[in-house]
Amino acid sequence: MVELKTDREIDEMRAAGRVVGRALAAVREAARVGMTLLDLDRVARGVLEEEGATSPFLGYRPRFAPVPFPGVVCASVNDAIVHGIPDGYRLRDGDLVSIDCGAKLRGWVGDAAVSFTVGRARPADLRLIETSEAALAAGITAAVPGNRIGDIAHAVGTVCRAAGYGVPDGFGGHGIGRAMHEDPGVPNEGPPGRGMKLRPGMVLAIEPMLIAGGTDDYRCDGDGWTLRTVDGSRAAHSEHTVAITAGGPRILTAL
């Protein structure tokens, strides 16, 4: 069931979204060669604590997971697509890092992700990241009343495929509100004009995930969480929480 949010409730979600935006900005600013992924997780924890927010990631355990998630961010490096567990890995020069973060504030959730490089960036990585951001922007542009979920999926997938990148099947965005994952699902590829019609009050997390090698194949690490590219190529992930409004899409997780 899709819950339509009131203008006041969307404002409350915006407050949670600002916390997410601040946490991602702090992690990106702090990330440097030699830091561990646990260090980055601690940076995000500090922001959540300062803002009086909690993490919808910490302790989350969907049916596929063998253990609850142990961090407040997903930290995915190089060939890791999403759901990377923050651990003792030390960042190296040229690493591509994707950070996914959520916050729960006064009962409402925000969720966003950003990809960036550490140290000297590879041009191919910068292009991959720029394309993930362009795909996200295209999906947000399509998030208007009267369009359908398929229009968002088509907009995202078209940008990814035109650049020659792969799109991991079965993973994409989702509805969001009082819970991190609500209906409807938001695929990253699909035919336009299909699926649920978008209405004011719907709030969606739109999140392109791109595989540089051009294949759609992925595998899961032994930790039961981290998804990696099968071909070893790099991946990027961008995400915003977006409200559908009569005046157009409203990004709730932007700083």
Side-chain angles (χ1 to χ4, degrees), residues 37 67-71 73-76 82-88 223-226:
L37 300 184
V67 296
F69 195 79
V73 300
C74 296
S76 306
V82 286
H83 302 163
I85 294 177
D87 58 16
D223 61 22
W225 278 98
T226 308

Side-chain angles (χ1 to χ4, degrees), residues 49-226:
E49 289 173 5
E50 288 173 12
E51 298 285 354
T54 58
S55 171
F57 289 17
L58 185 62
Y60 179 62
R61 188 180 184 183
R63 284 175 294 180
F64 68 78
V67 296
F69 195 79
V72 304
V73 300
C74 296
S76 306
V77 180
N78 295 333
D79 64 332
I81 306 168
V82 286
H83 302 163
I85 294 177
D87 58 16
Y89 175 85
R90 293 190 179 276
L91 295 174
R92 302 171 183 172
D93 188 39
D95 276 348
L96 193 166
V97 183
S98 296
I99 300 293
D100 192 353
C101 183
K104 189 167 188 176
L105 184 68
R106 297 192 292 271
W108 295 98
V109 179
D111 185 12
V114 64
S115 292
F116 54 87
T117 57
V118 176
R120 292 168 293 183
R122 300 180 183 183
D125 289 345
L126 294 179
R127 177 176 178 265
L128 180 66
I129 293 169
E130 289 168 1
T131 305
S132 74
E133 293 171 347
L136 175 58
I140 292 171
T141 298
V144 296
N147 272 359
R148 294 182 178 273
I149 291 293
D151 294 310
I152 297 176
H154 180 72
V156 169
T158 296
V159 172
C160 299
R161 296 299 187 185
Y165 297 130
V167 178
D169 184 43
F171 288 87
H174 48 88
I176 184 170
R178 293 191 182 276
M180 181 166 58
H181 292 128
E182 297 182 352
D183 291 332
V186 186
N188 284 327
E189 191 170 33
R194 303 283 295 276
M196 182 178 293
K197 183 173 285 188
L198 304 180
R199 293 175 287 167
M202 293 175 67
V203 183
L204 308 173
I206 302 172
E207 50 179 323
M209 305 165 196
L210 284 64
I211 297 175
T215 71
D216 300 346
D217 300 328
Y218 59 87
R219 61 178 177 83
C220 187
D221 273 2
D223 61 22
W225 278 98
T226 308

Side-chain angles (χ1 to χ4, degrees), residues 222-237:
D223 61 22
W225 278 98
T226 308
L227 300 184
R228 295 189 184 275
T229 64
V230 168
D231 61 6
S233 66
R234 295 191 169 194
H237 177 203

Side-chain angles (χ1 to χ4, degrees), residues 11 13-23 250 252-255:
D11 287 342
M13 291 192 69
R14 173 61 175 142
R18 284 195 182 97
V19 177
V20 176
R22 186 183 164 209
R250 181 183 179 190
L252 304 183
T253 41
L255 280 177

